[in-house]
Amino acid sequence: MVKKIVCILFILLCLTSGISADRPKVGLVLAGGGAKGFAHIGVLKVLEDNGIHVDYIAGTSMGGIVGALSAYGYSAREIEKVVKEIDWASLFIDGRERDYMSYSNKTADAKYFMTVGFDRHGMKNAPGVISGQKIQNKFYELVGPCSNSDNFDDLPTPFRCVATDILTGKEVVLKDGSLADAMRSTMSIPGIFTPVEKGEYLLVDGGVVNNLPVDVMKDMGADIIIAVNLSQNEVSRDTLRGPMLIANQMLNLFIYDQQQEQLKMADIVISPDLGGKFDSTSYFSFTEIEQCGEQAARAMLPAVKAAVGPENISNIPKIGVMRKDPAVIDRIEVSEHLESYERSVFLKKLGGIKGKPLDIDDLNHIVQDFHSSGQYESIRYYVDQIDGENVLSMEVEPSKKGPHFFRLGLFYDMNTNVHENYIFNVLLGLEFNNLLVEGDTFENEVELFTGIAAKTSYFIPFLDYYFIRPEVKFYYLPDQEENFGIGFDGDVDAERTEMRVASSLSLGTFNRMFGEISVGFMNEYIYYDYEITNFYEDDFKGIVNSVFIKSRMDNINSVVLPERGNFLELMLKYSDRHMGSEDTYLRGKVSFWQYFQFMERISLGGKVFAGMDFGTDLPFYDMEWFTYVNAFPGYTNYELQAPNIVAGVLDFKLKLCDLGLGSTKSRVLLTFRGGYASLYEDFNLFQGKKTYDIYGFGIGLGLSNSKIPIWLEGAWNDDRRFTLHISAGNKF
């Protein structure tokens, strides 16, 4: 009886909707074409507005992505909204966000702009310029959570997309598994995006083998096929400007020829007139390309209606997105091929997800966190029911670039009217990982040109959160000429020659994301020859033994041009003659930065610096408090030497625009800074004898990126001195 009622209701539904049970099935095939695929959204809008019912969807590359969203239940206007909101430059630029980096990688990021991985077999190159993790996460956000057992026939509209097995060159039709993985596979341009592993296949973009999969649609059972073709074989001479455009046209010609047989099998072909004005990379021409799709679909609308018949035209709205209720995660599994230590780190970080309804945004944040460490090529996840439990499975592929690294850093700095000579340094780094124990790092650095420096350190972790670090440093800076005007009547020249050889051993605890705290012992041999012309000379040659406490917490998005996050650095150093040192003194230093971002374009923050001698006789060779780029407007770091100092800088930044440069996304910033500092002879701050106050104001223009940040600032100080500061790169 119940079955009869269900059948009657179904028949009535069909009759009232104007769609008969035995109507011909309509299939929609969407071609690949990169940004040209935005035209598909315009076609979908016209079909939906005119009630054209679609039973099946198939696509390749961008056609596969748009088709997958439509099949999942998104309306054309919802897809339009999603695509407009996507920051395509960010998704296709795979540079790591510093916010997500591990602390060790943040430290490297603050010094180096180039890294090359290698192992015992030689140099390691990634299988693609872009790992595609950001795009993968976006797909999870749109169609997740996905399961390995999903069947694309169970979507609101049955769906197929095409990829290529790069191992055999054969076509692979994706019809089950993770929909997000299928979307990522079908658009993986060979050599640009890393391939996607699926069982025995290594999948890349399907455009090479079947850019317009009409035959796949026939196999799905469609009676009437509407194909949206984006290929053209004719362009004007004016559009072929440069080797990349010529290579792109060669690929278009190949795809055009390959598609001719597919086009013959379609009943209706919609060909947006892109007029040679747009190519596969025209991601910033969304509106114009979408309009081309709409115009082409409207022109073909009478033919479409005649082909599908009145029984496939109705006013029934498109079925909405069939999102499942978030599953409560009972168990978490991580790839078995990872080292046990890495697996434990994943399980611990994911522990907060267990026992709760899965939040895709939170999980994507954790995934991006791990990926940005640089240790992993890709991280994919699935939610499946296994033995009655909801299991979150993490498939993690280690980075193909390591485990060892050669690094290169550059730094240029000049303050006009202050330095007689500019500073230009090159930093070479050689890093070995996992040599003796899991997680250890043997780091070697050499700094050349303006001065010579070298450092060797060995970071040895134990008990998950603790480490031992032996370290040896050498530093030599000959005949450095400076202008030193603070506290004197007029600017005077200073010259120094400095050499240090230091060895230390520290013990500490660390957090992999934010920072570390350590205590240790240091032995230094210092040679320091210091002269201010016409005033005095001073030098030092001897041993300094000291114990120290250091702490550094780093959650800032950029060391040179910060816009958000916070940074804290603390240091206490005690030297005593009873330890064999030449001097007895206690030195302390603190730097705290706090930055907030508003409306994506404005950031406001401040820095507080303090250095003090705690009432001891701090020697001149240990008064250098500030090591960051242009810490105080209008003064160089070297000019801010004093036994005791308290300084504050208020910093305002306005983002003018974004630029995509190479593999990173850069921001052009207008900067305004104001600073005030008080310098004291003794430690009784605010009560003791104040030597003098200084202040400065600066306005500048910066190009902020993770490779080579560039900053130009004009500044005025209390002595009415104008200084033009130029820097490029991160200070070592």
Side-chain angles (χ1 to χ4, degrees):
M1 184 65 180
V2 174
K3 290 184 178 179
K4 289 182 179 180
I5 293 174
V6 171
C7 290
I8 292 170
L9 290 174
F10 178 74
I11 292 170
L12 288 173
L13 178 62
C14 291
L15 290 172
T16 56
S17 64
I19 300 179
S20 64
D22 59 349
R23 64 185 174 78
K25 303 296 184 182
V26 178
L28 179 64
V29 183
L30 306 178
K36 292 188 293 184
F38 293 153
H40 295 318
I41 303 172
V43 173
L44 286 171
K45 285 170 71 174
V46 172
L47 295 181
E48 289 181 13
D49 289 347
N50 289 274
I52 308 298
H53 186 80
V54 173
D55 296 280
Y56 308 109
I57 300 177
T60 298
S61 194
M62 184 62 83
I65 294 173
V66 174
L69 294 176
S70 181
Y72 193 70
Y74 286 95
S75 70
R77 282 173 173 75
E78 287 173 331
I79 298 173
E80 178 185 48
K81 184 174 184 293
V82 165
V83 172
K84 279 184 175 180
E85 290 176 350
I86 289 176
D87 184 351
W88 291 97
S90 176
L91 289 184
F92 284 95
I93 294 172
D94 216 27
R96 296 178 294 164
E97 294 289 340
R98 195 174 189 273
D99 312 50
Y100 294 109
M101 291 183 189
S102 66
Y103 175 71
S104 60
N105 278 279
K106 286 176 183 175
T107 303
D109 179 71
K111 296 185 289 186
Y112 300 107
F113 81 93
M114 188 186 79
T115 297
V116 177
F118 66 95
D119 62 10
R120 58 191 180 91
H121 301 294
M123 293 295 179
K124 299 288 289 293
N125 294 313
V129 177
I130 302 171
S131 75
Q133 187 66 52
K134 287 184 180 180
I135 294 175
Q136 182 89 44
N137 289 352
K138 188 64 181 180
F139 293 158
Y140 285 141
E141 177 188 325
L142 293 171
V143 302
C146 298
S147 167
N148 263 323
S149 59
D150 285 342
N151 188 328
F152 296 170
D153 285 338
D154 296 333
L155 294 170
T157 304
F159 173 71
R160 301 286 187 273
C161 65
V162 174
T164 305
D165 179 15
I166 198 66
L167 300 176
T168 63
K170 294 182 179 179
E171 174 184 340
V172 178
V173 179
L174 301 171
K175 58 184 178 180
D176 54 29
S178 165
L179 184 60
D181 284 359
M183 295 166 70
R184 170 70 177 82
S185 301
T186 192
M187 52 74 65
S188 295
I189 304 170
I192 304 299
F193 290 97
T194 55
V196 177
E197 295 187 26
K198 181 178 175 65
E200 61 186 23
Y201 302 124
L202 197 59
L203 301 178
V204 296
D205 195 309
V208 178
V209 292
N210 197 348
N211 197 56
L212 186 68
V214 178
D215 56 344
V216 173
M217 180 56 67
K218 276 194 170 295
D219 292 340
M220 292 179 74
D223 301 304
I224 300 164
I225 298 177
I226 304 170
V228 184
N229 175 36
L230 302 177
S231 296
Q232 54 189 28
N233 66 340
E234 294 182 3
V235 295
S236 66
R237 291 171 181 251
D238 294 338
T239 61
L240 297 179
R241 299 182 301 272
M244 292 299 294
L245 292 175
I246 292 174
N248 187 61
Q249 174 61 5
M250 291 295 293
L251 180 61
N252 286 339
L253 292 173
F254 170 78
I255 292 175
Y256 179 85
D257 289 338
Q258 174 237 52
Q259 283 185 183
Q260 297 313 300
E261 291 301 316
Q262 298 287 338
L263 288 168
K264 292 175 183 177
M265 292 185 283
D267 298 286
I268 298 292
V269 176
I270 300 175
S271 297
D273 181 12
L274 300 173
K277 295 183 295 184
F278 309 106
D279 59 33
S280 59
T281 63
S282 301
Y283 286 97
F284 297 103
S285 301
F286 171 83
T287 302
E288 296 90 336
I289 295 174
E290 184 193 36
Q291 288 173 352
C292 289
E294 284 191 55
Q295 292 167 4
R298 287 197 187 97
M300 292 297 296
L301 191 57
V304 171
K305 288 183 176 180
V308 302
E311 60 268 41
N312 279 308
I313 302 174
S314 71
N315 294 319
I316 292 181
K318 182 179 176 65
I319 298 174
V321 174
M322 302 289 287
R323 290 197 179 277
K324 305 172 185 176
D325 291 332
V328 176
I329 302 302
D330 301 307
R331 193 167 81 241
I332 299 172
E333 295 181 351
V334 181
S335 299
E336 292 291 337
H337 61 259
L338 291 182
E339 298 286 347
S340 59
Y341 174 76
E342 290 180 293
R343 292 182 69 250
S344 68
V345 173
F346 267 91
L347 291 171
K348 182 163 187 178
K349 188 74 174 179
L350 294 164
I353 290 176
K354 190 175 178 181
K356 300 176 182 177
L358 181 62
D359 187 308
I360 294 294
D361 290 339
D362 288 347
L363 184 54
N364 277 346
H365 184 88
I366 295 172
V367 167
Q368 189 63 38
D369 179 345
F370 277 110
H371 181 260
S372 292
S373 71
Q375 300 178 52
Y376 306 104
E377 195 68 35
S378 68
I379 303 173
R380 291 182 283 161
Y381 59 82
Y382 314 94
V383 178
D384 294 285
Q385 272 216 341
I386 302 175
D387 299 329
E389 292 184 314
N390 293 319
V391 180
L392 173 65
S393 302
M394 308 293 296
E395 288 193 3
V396 184
E397 288 298 322
S399 172
K400 306 294 193 295
K401 298 179 182 179
H404 315 308
F405 301 97
F406 170 76
R407 306 184 193 273
L408 175 65
L410 298 174
F411 176 66
Y412 172 86
D413 185 88
M414 182 179 72
N415 285 279
T416 60
N417 302 322
V418 180
H419 289 297
E420 289 190 12
N421 298 308
Y422 62 84
I423 295 174
F424 176 71
N425 287 331
V426 174
L427 184 65
L428 304 176
L430 194 59
E431 179 184 308
F432 300 92
N433 293 288
N434 303 321
L435 290 179
L436 300 178
V437 298
E438 291 181 1
D440 69 357
T441 299
F442 182 54
E443 187 178 12
N444 304 273
E445 295 179 344
V446 177
E447 184 179 331
L448 302 172
F449 297 119
T450 306
I452 300 173
K455 183 186 82 169
T456 295
S457 67
Y458 186 31
F459 177 89
I460 309 169
F462 65 96
L463 297 179
D464 290 341
Y465 301 106
Y466 301 93
F467 69 89
I468 297 174
R469 181 192 286 125
E471 190 170 69
V472 178
K473 294 181 180 180
F474 170 78
Y475 178 66
Y476 177 62
L477 181 69
D479 303 327
Q480 181 67 25
E481 296 181 350
E482 302 275 354
N483 176 281
F484 196 81
I486 299 179
F488 298 98
D489 295 328
D491 294 339
V492 295
D493 293 328
E495 184 176 289
R496 61 180 169 131
T497 295
E498 183 178 358
M499 183 178 73
R500 295 173 185 247
V501 181
S503 61
S504 65
L505 180 66
S506 56
L507 171 68
T509 181
F510 68 99
N511 178 292
R512 290 192 176 273
M513 280 300 298
F514 300 116
E516 62 183 40
I517 302 173
S518 63
V519 297
F521 176 81
M522 178 183 294
N523 171 268
E524 297 175 276
Y525 170 78
I526 300 176
Y527 171 78
Y528 201 111
D529 186 3
Y530 176 61
E531 176 182 350
I532 296 183
T533 306
N534 301 325
F535 283 87
Y536 66 84
E537 297 182 16
D538 209 344
D539 56 28
F540 176 81
K541 182 178 180 181
I543 299 293
V544 176
N545 291 321
S546 58
V547 292
F548 61 83
I549 300 174
K550 292 182 180 179
S551 174
R552 183 171 175 174
M553 304 297 166
D554 186 345
N555 194 30
I556 209 78
N557 77 308
S558 170
V559 174
V560 178
L561 293 162
E563 296 173 79
R564 61 182 181 274
N566 49 71
F567 176 91
L568 175 64
E569 185 177 45
L570 299 168
M571 188 273 292
L572 282 174
K573 177 181 178 182
Y574 177 68
S575 177
D576 195 286
R577 292 188 179 91
H578 293 94
M579 296 188 298
S581 184
E582 295 285 339
D583 294 288
T584 296
Y585 62 92
L586 177 62
R587 175 178 184 250
K589 157 175 129 169
V590 59
S591 298
F592 177 68
W593 311 356
Q594 181 75 62
Y595 281 82
F596 303 94
Q597 199 160 15
F598 306 95
M599 299 179 292
E600 297 184 0
R601 294 175 60 87
I602 297 173
S603 73
L604 180 65
K607 301 179 180 180
V608 176
F609 307 94
M612 57 210 73
D613 64 4
F614 295 98
T616 60
D617 189 11
L618 186 65
F620 65 90
Y621 56 77
D622 219 350
M623 285 188 191
E624 187 171 354
W625 302 112
F626 309 111
T627 58
Y628 302 101
V629 174
N630 200 24
F632 194 90
Y635 288 95
T636 67
N637 294 346
Y638 187 65
E639 290 179 293
L640 298 177
Q641 294 189 60
N644 299 279
I645 182 171
V646 176
V649 176
L650 187 63
D651 193 349
F652 174 86
K653 294 184 179 70
L654 173 66
K655 185 181 79 171
L656 301 179
C657 62
D658 289 321
L659 296 176
L661 300 175
S663 62
T664 63
K665 181 178 178 181
S666 302
R667 299 175 301 282
V668 179
L669 303 172
L670 186 64
T671 67
F672 300 90
R673 298 195 305 153
Y676 182 86
S678 294
L679 290 77
Y680 296 82
E681 287 186 358
D682 56 59
F683 179 65
N684 294 317
L685 300 184
F686 309 112
Q687 295 181 3
K689 182 180 179 182
K690 183 185 293 189
T691 308
Y692 36 81
D693 294 326
I694 60 172
Y695 53 86
F697 170 79
I699 180 171
L701 195 64
L703 181 65
S704 179
N705 60 76
S706 61
K707 301 299 183 183
I708 304 180
I710 299 172
W711 191 13
L712 171 67
E713 182 184 58
W716 296 261
N717 65 19
D718 51 287
D719 200 28
R720 297 184 179 180
R721 182 185 71 184
F722 174 76
T723 302
L724 183 64
H725 171 259
I726 304 171
S727 70
N730 293 290
K731 198 171 189 297
F732 312 141

